[in-house]
Amino acid sequence: METNKVEEQSLRFIKTKILILLLLLAGLVVAIHYYLKSQIQIEAPKVELGRKVIVQLPDGKEIQTYENLLVEEDGKLYYDGEFNTIDITNGIVVIQNWE
């Protein structure tokens, strides 16, 4: 009967050790994950867009853009943005800093 008690206590002690080790391992994995995640930094490359300009359109509207986004093809002036291209041939380009 006493050996049975010793075996139960020994088994309970081993289970407790295994549980503690698993919790420590899980905590270590989480800590390493957050540490490595904080170390990774992705920075976009710096693009030189040129001077700030304002293009005054004939209808009275204006486009605030950068000098390097204006493209001249076949005698026409285009604003070449990231998602669209606008024909601004009759516009007047004014080099001016805008906020």
Side-chain angles (χ1 to χ4, degrees):
M1 190 147 191
E2 212 167 290
T3 58
N4 204 7
K5 249 185 185 180
V6 172
E7 286 177 10
E8 284 181 20
Q9 288 179 347
S10 170
L11 188 60
R12 187 179 315 148
F13 182 70
I14 291 173
K15 285 182 180 179
T16 305
K17 271 189 167 180
I18 290 173
L19 181 64
I20 290 172
L21 285 175
L22 286 176
L23 287 174
L24 287 175
L25 182 63
L28 183 65
V29 168
V30 169
I32 289 173
H33 171 74
Y34 281 112
Y35 173 74
L36 292 177
K37 193 174 180 182
S38 71
Q39 296 299 312
I40 298 172
Q41 295 179 357
I42 300 173
E43 295 180 13
K46 301 208 185 289
V47 177
E48 181 57 42
L49 296 174
R51 295 182 289 182
K52 294 178 178 180
V53 296
I54 294 177
V55 180
Q56 295 174 343
L57 300 175
D59 62 358
K61 295 181 181 177
E62 59 184 35
I63 297 175
Q64 297 177 344
T65 185
Y66 291 94
E67 190 175 37
N68 292 345
L69 296 178
L70 299 178
V71 179
E72 191 170 346
E73 293 179 3
D74 301 327
K76 291 188 173 191
L77 186 63
Y78 294 98
Y79 163 74
D80 189 20
E82 186 175 352
F83 299 108
N84 54 11
T85 302
I86 301 172
D87 182 9
I88 53 172
T89 303
N90 296 329
I92 301 170
V93 178
V94 179
I95 297 172
Q96 177 181 350
N97 272 341
W98 41 267
E99 294 297 322

